[in-house]
Amino acid sequence: MKKKHHSILPNFSHDEFSRSLFVKGLSIHIEKVVYSKLCDSILKYLPNKISKKNHLNVLRKNLLKQNYYKFWSSLKRINQELLFDNVNETIYRQLDKFSLNINQKNWKFSKIKLSKKITAPKYITSVDIHCMPGGYTKEISKDDISLGTMYDTSLYLYSKNSLGTYNDDMAKCTCTWIKSKFPCFKPKKILDMGCGVGNNSIPYKELFNNARVYGIDISAPMLRYAYVRSNLIKKDINFFQQNAEKTEFGDESFDLIVSHLLTHETSLTAFNNIINECMRLLTNHGIMIHVETDWGTENSITNKLLLDWETHYNSEPFKTTHDQTDKYKLAKAHGFKQNNISITKVNSLSKN
């Protein structure tokens, strides 16, 4: 675990901290020892004739007959559940701390506007995404922010502290890329779609300090946490409870639209809707950037298998389809020109 950087992260007891170290150590062992041995034997179980369309399904079904694959898969799933079990126990022990009446707080930085009209889509509510209990919509009390605390804390553990001090490495990398690629670009209004706890909204305000930054998300408890968190960090972000598929903003409202790990947690229909909405919202010469983790699946069957495991056993049902979606074709279908579309790999800035 990292040192606490704001007051709405939980305090870990000695035993809770020890369990966190165990979960982290087990994850590393599963990844570097157990899975590496599995990779050595995967090709032995690869059938001679597998169609390109369904090769992952066939491979997974074949591997499910192999004890070592089942052993690895069980360990990996149990490790994810242990991570959240420990974080949950820590948060529930301090639950009063995470039931804040945000309307009574005299915050002077960020703003928030929630909506009772928003209904979370089925791709959000049908599963507890990446096994986080309650998914993105769980609320224990009226002004509950504990879900955001759980997500923010689990990111440190799941990423093994690789996302930086404030879990904002993805946005910082993107900001560095924007500054290098478009040195004269100075957006006046920025939209972070699916902003979650706001961890990746803040670097855009830091880079473009004169811009107005907006963060939208479906989840009220995540937005409450984002609102309190950004005020504690003293960054001015405007948070709105809205659906990225169809927002309430006017045409050509934003110069820069970003998202971080949003699109793979939607659906094919929603992905199309989001790109279409970005086209509507962007000003002339505006930029759209959707950041996702690079799984290196282009030339690696083992990496494809690992991502496919997330789809079927880590409650990430759209991940494989998202990975196989032609992003160029998708963007062109919604009006973006071929020479303005690119897929770029950007290295992490974090030294953890």
Side-chain angles (χ1 to χ4, degrees):
M1 287 292 295
K2 295 285 287 184
K3 179 182 177 182
K4 287 178 59 179
H5 298 289
H6 50 79
S7 61
I8 50 173
L9 287 174
N11 297 313
F12 278 73
S13 68
H14 173 275
D15 288 357
E16 291 161 348
F17 184 76
S18 295
R19 283 194 288 270
S20 295
L21 291 178
F22 172 79
V23 169
K24 179 180 177 180
L26 179 58
S27 176
I28 294 172
H29 179 75
I30 293 169
E31 175 185 333
K32 293 188 176 181
V33 179
V34 182
Y35 188 66
S36 63
K37 290 183 179 180
L38 175 64
C39 290
D40 293 339
S41 59
I42 281 176
L43 293 179
K44 296 179 182 179
Y45 307 124
L46 188 63
N48 293 327
K49 294 182 180 180
I50 297 178
S51 70
K52 187 175 181 180
K53 183 177 180 180
N54 69 352
H55 73 287
L56 283 175
N57 286 332
V58 174
L59 176 57
R60 187 179 66 259
K61 289 177 180 179
N62 274 268
L63 288 173
L64 282 171
K65 300 174 184 178
Q66 309 301 324
N67 288 333
Y68 196 82
Y69 177 85
K70 289 188 287 186
F71 172 69
W72 164 77
S73 181
S74 296
L75 272 181
K76 190 167 174 63
R77 172 67 184 229
I78 289 169
N79 184 245
Q80 185 76 341
E81 292 177 355
L82 286 173
L83 185 157
F84 284 112
D85 283 347
N86 188 46
V87 174
N88 258 334
E89 181 178 328
T90 304
I91 290 172
Y92 287 154
R93 182 173 55 79
Q94 307 162 66
L95 201 55
D96 289 346
K97 179 180 179 180
F98 307 114
S99 297
L100 302 178
N101 186 345
I102 59 174
N103 296 318
Q104 294 180 3
K105 294 288 184 179
N106 187 26
W107 304 117
K108 62 179 181 180
F109 293 95
S110 291
K111 302 173 182 63
I112 185 170
K113 184 178 180 181
L114 302 179
S115 173
K116 295 181 179 179
K117 298 179 181 179
I118 293 292
T119 301
K122 287 186 177 180
Y123 56 77
I124 293 294
T125 60
S126 60
V127 295
D128 289 350
I129 295 179
H130 47 70
C131 297
M132 186 169 73
Y136 288 133
T137 58
K138 179 182 178 182
E139 293 186 83
I140 300 173
S141 62
K142 179 182 177 182
D143 296 304
D144 183 31
I145 65 168
S146 63
L147 182 67
T149 304
M150 185 193 309
Y151 181 82
D152 204 10
T153 305
S154 67
L155 269 183
Y156 287 115
L157 295 168
Y158 183 75
S159 69
K160 304 175 185 65
N161 300 332
S162 66
L163 295 177
T165 299
Y166 291 101
N167 281 327
D168 58 1
D169 184 66
M170 285 191 173
K172 283 189 172 181
C173 291
T174 307
C175 285
T176 299
W177 179 82
I178 293 172
K179 191 175 180 180
S180 172
K181 187 76 172 178
F182 307 102
C184 297
F185 181 58
K186 297 186 184 302
K188 295 179 180 179
K189 290 180 68 177
I190 301 170
L191 177 63
D192 183 8
M193 289 181 155
C195 66
V197 297
N199 53 313
N200 285 308
S201 305
I202 290 173
Y204 296 96
K205 184 63 180 177
E206 293 175 335
L207 177 60
F208 304 108
N209 56 2
N210 292 323
R212 284 178 288 169
V213 179
Y214 296 76
I216 63 170
D217 204 277
I218 285 289
S219 170
M222 295 281 272
L223 286 171
R224 291 190 203 105
Y225 181 88
Y227 166 71
V228 176
R229 180 184 188 274
S230 60
N231 271 289
L232 291 171
I233 299 173
K234 299 182 179 181
K235 299 299 178 183
D236 182 13
I237 312 292
N238 302 286
F239 293 107
F240 289 83
Q241 189 177 9
Q242 292 192 31
N243 189 332
E245 293 185 62
K246 186 176 177 59
T247 73
E248 298 174 7
F249 300 112
D251 294 355
E252 300 184 11
S253 294
F254 296 96
D255 307 297
L256 174 62
I257 299 176
V258 297
S259 78
H260 311 82
L261 304 181
L262 165 69
T263 57
H264 82 267
E265 292 185 348
T266 59
S267 67
L268 189 56
T269 298
F271 196 5
N272 275 272
N273 290 342
I274 289 169
I275 302 303
N276 189 61
E277 183 68 352
C278 288
M279 172 56 76
R280 183 184 74 81
L281 293 173
L282 278 174
T283 58
N284 190 26
H285 301 298
I287 298 173
M288 171 186 76
I289 302 174
H290 296 287
V291 182
E292 290 286 343
T293 303
D294 176 27
W295 286 76
T297 58
E298 294 90 344
N299 301 306
S300 172
I301 186 64
T302 55
N303 287 354
K304 286 182 179 179
L305 175 65
L306 185 59
L307 182 142
D308 195 54
W309 182 91
E310 297 277 333
T311 298
H312 292 275
Y313 306 116
N314 198 30
S315 299
E316 299 268 22
F318 183 50
K319 233 173 186 180
T320 297
T321 301
H322 180 277
D323 185 64
Q324 296 174 345
T325 299
D326 187 330
K327 313 304 189 301
Y328 288 99
K329 184 177 180 180
L330 178 63
K332 285 178 64 178
H334 295 286
F336 290 90
K337 295 181 180 179
Q338 176 72 36
N339 60 349
N340 290 333
I341 305 168
S342 66
I343 297 177
T344 304
K345 294 181 181 180
V346 179
N347 292 327
S348 170
L349 297 177
S350 176
K351 295 180 180 180
N352 293 305

